[in-house]
Amino acid sequence: MIATALTKLLHIRVPVVQGGMQWVGTPPLVAAVSNAGGLGILTALTQPSPEALRVAIRETKAATDKPFGVNLTLLPTINPPDYAGYARAAVEEGVRIFETAGNNPGQLIEYFKSQGCIVIHKCTTVRHAKSAERMGVDVLSIDGFECAGHPGEEDIGGLVLLARAAQELKIPYIASGGIADGRGLAAALALGAAGINMGTRFMCTAESPIHQNIKDTMVKATEQDTIHIFRTLKNTARVFKNKVSTEVVALERRPGGAEFSELRDLVSGARGKIVYEKGDPDYGIWSAGIVLGLIKDIPTCEELLRRIEREAEDTISGISNMVKPRARL
Ligand code: NAD
């Protein structure tokens, strides 16, 4: 067993959080992760309204008696959502763990803390992490450049970002981006993290609500199969490299670049959702991290978390057997 500040705070068995994923963080996956001993997280904006989020929370509670959380991500959107309404609905439904991410989360964090909730805030720079620490969050999720979705604009890989977090932060932090197995968990612990956050790896599990063909595509993919869109709009997102994302990048690279309005129909989340429903990997934009290269199967969440735990323990004991203090040699 790997007990850390995270497992103690959240009352979970394995220090693994399933991070917020648009269209993927739904009750069946969330409950499966929590039942397997990690922390499942419902993605609020995947639900069409705060009322629908209430229903999803009740559905999750019916499927697990273990802790789970709700993600709220504040990024540019085509139809600005009622963030406060989603937050209120989740708190009123009894959710006590939140993952926040994105721009200007101050008011949201203040609200969750005023309601006695635990807040895990995801960020991509040490500067933002320290600012969230001052706002009173409980855990930071330090998101390296390897991640799926929005890595920020500073392009710092997890190895340095986590070592910087170890130098600067006073509260517990978890490692996010680039982690899909027990070696990754062991590395994160070595870098001072209290656990890990995984998204892409959980997309490719038996309980993940996406089409089998997309899961099979992920198993076949390599670490070279992602691309960054929205670099020129300063809203960078790492997504699966396909016809649509390649076209978006080509439009952005034209002389004079591209306005968001010219990209909107290609990149809309509504279109990306159809990828997951119908199983055509080329139909729209869908998020994926470079851990694609590490994913070779489609296990249940239970199998995945047991394996990660075992691999991490083996890696840690392998290292301590290999590196003996001089006096014992
Ligand atoms: P959407 O259809 O509103 O937008 C599609 C993409 O375009 C998103 O990446 C969005 O950030 C970007 N975008 C929208 N307006 C923009 C603008 N004016 N300038 C630059 N970029 C713009 O998004 P959606 O798929 O319905 O998702 C809703 C929100 O959740 C978005 O903000 C999205 O970024 C965010 N998100 C959350 C998660 C999560 O894990 N919670 C994951 C991915 C995306």
Side-chain angles (χ1 to χ4, degrees):
M1 276 217 11
I2 299 174
T4 70
L6 186 81
T7 57
K8 282 179 209 147
L9 178 71
L10 302 181
H11 301 287
I12 56 176
R13 190 178 57 78
V14 200
V16 178
V17 173
Q18 165 253 310
M21 288 176 278
Q22 186 68 332
W23 315 128
V24 183
T26 53
L29 177 63
V30 174
V33 174
S34 290
N35 283 334
L39 185 79
I41 293 201
L42 276 176
T43 303
L45 302 187
T46 292
Q47 302 302 327
S49 64
E51 279 313 304
L53 177 61
R54 286 180 190 274
V55 175
I57 291 168
R58 289 175 201 166
E59 215 179 297
T60 311
K61 280 189 179 168
T64 184
D65 56 0
K66 300 281 194 302
F68 68 91
V70 165
N71 159 282
L72 253 179
T73 297
L74 304 150
L75 286 169
T77 50
I78 294 172
N79 302 305
D82 174 11
Y83 294 114
Y86 280 100
R88 210 170 37 247
V91 168
E92 284 173 6
E93 289 299 317
V95 174
R96 286 294 169 267
I97 304 173
F98 287 88
E99 179 191 58
T100 54
N103 307 326
N104 303 317
Q107 271 188 344
L108 211 51
I109 291 170
E110 200 178 312
Y111 171 66
F112 290 138
K113 289 312 299 173
S114 76
Q115 301 301 306
C117 300
I118 293 173
V119 178
I120 304 171
H121 181 67
K122 185 184 277 186
C123 44
T124 58
T125 68
V126 170
R127 184 168 45 88
H128 289 127
K130 289 181 78 168
S131 155
E133 190 177 57
R134 285 193 296 275
M135 285 176 202
V137 305
D138 301 275
V139 178
L140 288 152
S141 182
I142 302 293
D143 207 14
F145 189 55
E146 300 88 338
C147 71
H150 298 272
E153 308 304 321
E154 297 192 11
D155 304 1
I156 312 293
L159 205 54
V160 168
L161 203 54
L162 289 164
R164 288 283 297 124
Q167 290 177 337
E168 299 277 346
L169 302 181
K170 297 181 190 74
I171 62 172
Y173 55 93
I174 59 175
S176 180
I179 300 172
D181 57 20
R183 283 179 192 278
L185 172 55
L189 296 173
L191 285 160
I196 56 174
N197 177 91
M198 302 194 301
T200 306
R201 176 62 272 198
F202 279 119
M203 281 171 73
C204 209
T205 55
E207 297 92 343
S208 151
I210 68 176
H211 197 282
Q212 184 65 33
N213 196 41
I214 301 303
K215 296 182 193 177
D216 294 339
T217 302
M218 294 177 76
V219 170
K220 282 192 213 116
T222 75
E223 61 276 25
Q224 292 171 311
D225 286 319
T226 73
I227 190 168
H228 283 117
I229 60 169
F230 298 151
R231 288 246 86 163
T232 58
L233 301 178
K234 300 214 178 315
N235 184 30
T236 300
R238 189 191 290 280
V239 301
F240 189 72
K241 194 194 281 177
N242 63 10
K243 283 187 192 147
V244 180
S245 54
T246 307
E247 186 180 343
V248 170
V249 170
L251 289 169
E252 287 190 78
R253 285 182 183 162
R254 279 183 322 195
E259 300 282 331
F260 180 74
S261 56
E262 298 170 80
L263 308 177
R264 189 175 50 212
D265 292 344
L266 289 169
V267 302
S268 84
R271 187 168 166 165
K273 187 179 178 206
I274 295 172
V275 169
Y276 297 141
E277 287 169 358
K278 298 264 164 67
D280 176 359
D282 274 316
Y283 187 77
I285 296 290
W286 53 286
S287 294
I290 55 175
V291 295
L292 277 177
L294 301 175
I295 295 173
K296 308 291 179 202
D297 62 358
I298 307 169
T300 64
C301 291
E302 175 75 26
E303 285 163 352
L304 179 64
L305 290 193
R306 294 265 171 217
R307 186 204 300 168
I308 287 179
E309 209 178 3
R310 197 178 55 245
E311 280 174 357
E313 285 168 353
D314 289 351
T315 304
I316 293 163
S317 61
I319 293 171
S320 50
N321 285 338
M322 196 166 61
V323 184
K324 301 240 184 272
R326 226 166 240 291
R328 282 162 52 199
L329 283 176

